[in-house]
Amino acid sequence: MKSYVYPAATSTARALIRYIIDMMNREPERIFYLAFSGGTTPSLMFDIWAHEFREETPWMRMRIFWVDERCVSVSDSDSNYGTMLRLLLQEVGMPDEYVYPIHGDCRSPAQEAKRYSDLVSSTVPLRRGFPTFDIVLLGAGDDGHTSSIFPGQEYLLSSFHPYEKSINPYNGQPRIAMTGCLLFSARKLIFLITGKNKTKVVYDILKSGDTGPAAYVAHHAADVDIFTDIEIDG
């Protein structure tokens, strides 16, 4: 696991954008399959990306997917797809055919998880039988959850269904979550975590493997980087 520490959330976001662009530029003939998470820090990254890196990003070689989604309408501020759509995708003119949202306003989260699992399985290149994203961008809650997999829902880390319904235990909100079979199949997992309130989570990710879903994923995936503004001594 590699950690990249920067002075602030803005510099952390800029560094990650540069990292992704550089990765794509090293293989200029290839299409890249990327799965994004939502949250405050990704929203900051999307805004910076649209206004500072628009011209140098190879948008047409990106295929955009989501790690997880809240079961709300696209217009809701909680929608991961809606947030990225407004802050980035519309701003840069990303073609709709390169964007594959989870339908958060579905009537049945379980059915939508199945539909999205089938879509990803038929669109994203397979490796050892599982769709393999080039980058899966993850965040982490201060309780250690990631990809809408909360403490107590670790069974989703061993699921062979690419996406499944999950429930936010704090408010009962249904969500759709990428499960372990895709998280551990990804070529690169990147955690983007900023804010001093996440210090314990970053410590657990770097130092422990059994203190919550985020730490478990970080310690069992093949290739993991963490971009953060939190310095952990030692």
Side-chain angles (χ1 to χ4, degrees):
M1 188 189 313
K2 297 179 181 178
S3 59
Y4 300 87
V5 184
Y6 300 90
T10 51
S11 54
T12 305
R14 287 189 182 97
L16 178 52
I17 295 166
R18 169 57 59 197
Y19 180 97
I20 294 172
I21 294 172
D22 289 347
M23 175 184 288
M24 296 183 68
N25 285 341
R26 286 194 292 272
E27 298 183 75
E29 304 302 320
R30 195 159 75 79
I31 301 297
F32 281 74
Y33 294 81
L34 313 175
F36 288 91
S37 297
T40 302
T41 307
S43 295
L44 172 66
M45 182 182 75
F46 299 151
D47 188 55
I48 292 172
W49 207 336
H51 292 94
E52 298 183 22
F53 295 87
R54 175 176 178 170
E55 298 303 323
E56 60 184 297
T57 302
W59 302 108
M60 297 304 102
R61 292 196 293 115
M62 285 185 174
R63 301 296 180 267
I64 306 296
F65 297 80
W66 273 263
V67 172
D68 59 343
E69 184 59 276
R70 300 173 178 89
C71 291
V72 297
S73 70
V74 175
S75 61
D76 194 298
S77 61
D78 278 349
S79 170
N80 291 343
Y81 165 58
T83 298
M84 189 178 185
L85 180 68
R86 291 185 290 273
L87 292 178
L88 180 60
L89 301 178
Q90 289 178 340
E91 290 290 323
V92 303
M94 190 72 176
D96 290 344
E97 60 266 30
Y98 296 163
V99 180
Y100 301 85
I102 299 172
H103 297 158
D105 55 356
C106 59
R107 292 186 177 182
S108 170
Q111 288 182 5
E112 175 58 14
K114 174 65 165 59
R115 182 199 72 84
Y116 202 65
S117 293
D118 292 343
L119 172 67
V120 168
S121 295
S122 64
T123 308
V124 178
L126 302 181
R127 183 173 61 170
R128 294 192 292 273
F130 291 107
T132 300
F133 286 103
D134 293 291
I135 294 176
V136 171
L137 180 64
L138 297 172
D142 53 16
D143 63 349
H145 83 264
T146 194
S147 178
S148 290
I149 300 174
F150 292 85
Q153 299 173 356
E154 285 80 7
Y155 65 93
L156 293 174
L157 294 172
S158 58
S159 172
F160 289 102
H161 302 291
Y163 289 82
E164 289 206 36
K165 174 185 175 181
S166 68
I167 297 289
N168 182 333
Y170 308 110
N171 60 14
Q173 181 189 64
R175 299 188 178 192
I176 294 165
M178 179 185 289
T179 69
C181 69
L182 292 196
L183 293 170
F184 299 126
S185 178
R187 294 184 183 276
K188 171 77 73 174
L189 283 181
I190 299 177
F191 282 91
L192 174 61
I193 306 174
T194 61
K196 302 308 177 186
N197 61 310
K198 301 287 183 72
T199 298
K200 182 181 184 302
V201 175
V202 172
Y203 177 88
D204 288 344
I205 287 173
L206 292 174
K207 304 295 184 182
S208 174
D210 57 1
T211 52
Y216 183 90
V217 168
H219 283 261
H220 289 80
D223 193 347
V224 180
D225 291 341
I226 178 169
F227 284 71
T228 184
D229 61 355
I230 301 167
E231 185 76 54
I232 302 294
D233 295 333

